[in-house]
Amino acid sequence: MESSDGVDEPGWDVDPEDEISSAVEMVGQQLRLRREVAGLRVAEFAELIGYGEDLVRKIERGARIPRPEYLDKVDEVVGAGGFVSALKKPMREARYPKRVRELAKLEERAVGLGMYSNHNIHGLLQTEEYARALFRTRRPAYSDETLGRLVAARMARRSVFECSPVPEFSFVQEEVTLRRPIGGTMVLRRQLERLLEVTELRNVEVQVMPTSSGEHPGTGGRIQVLKFGDGTAMGRTDDEFGGRPVSDPRQLRILELRYGIIRAQALAPRESRAFIEQLLGET
């Protein structure tokens, strides 16, 4: 990870089994060729751009994904006229784990998203602080490098709220997810504030499932239903179909039935907002 002075290793390690690794290798080769055409050895090039030689070598052989600021500096030093800087978009996407990239693409395609969460606040609703604290609970613990990638990927997924046409979102959160102080009291307060901000969006409904509602079809785990513009859909639940994503109409009807009952038993959106405001006042 990048140090405070910006001289350490600003980038992400590449998973050799990820198909994106070939694209990272190609970018590394382009950067090496531009350095060589500029007549610069690794040592003097590293000094000019303000980064370590080891990092330059890793990036040029495709073992490290360069950060945007690294590419901008290279563009400036070799006089690429913006061609190197233009690589920022594909490299920004490459830094996210494969499964996160795939999920983000599905969310961006969706015209309707229904999510029921029973353990933690849904990823699309999380603040950066909350997401980082949540990932830190994992055992065995993530490395700082992996932790940084996962948090960045989760925050990038929030761009789905800005898609055009605007998709419709429905979230149902178990009450316990709003009370568990992941990361501490202040992190939870800011998370609750974020939830209230999201409830102000016209295309988003957030509902709370009270703990007092003891019997409902979400007790088996999370439920996700994504609907696409072409009429197809995809869903997933923890306790059926092996936890795998499903698109078979019969299986989807089961998920939609469960989610519909859950929404009906949860507090209405206005009541849910008032409930969250009350929790924020108590926190």
Side-chain angles (χ1 to χ4, degrees), residues 22-62:
S22 59
V24 178
E25 289 177 5
M26 187 177 297
V27 167
Q29 292 171 5
Q30 291 183 36
L31 296 179
R32 176 176 59 79
L33 287 173
R34 287 190 177 275
R35 172 180 60 77
E36 292 175 346
V37 168
L40 297 170
R41 294 188 174 187
V42 172
E44 56 184 327
F45 179 71
E47 184 175 353
L48 284 171
I49 63 175
Y51 295 104
E53 291 182 46
D54 184 54
L55 173 64
V56 173
R57 296 183 192 280
K58 285 181 178 178
I59 288 177
E60 290 187 353
R61 69 170 184 266

Side-chain angles (χ1 to χ4, degrees), residues 78-89:
V78 302
F83 285 98
V84 171
S85 291
L87 299 171
K88 288 189 289 186
K89 185 178 186 298

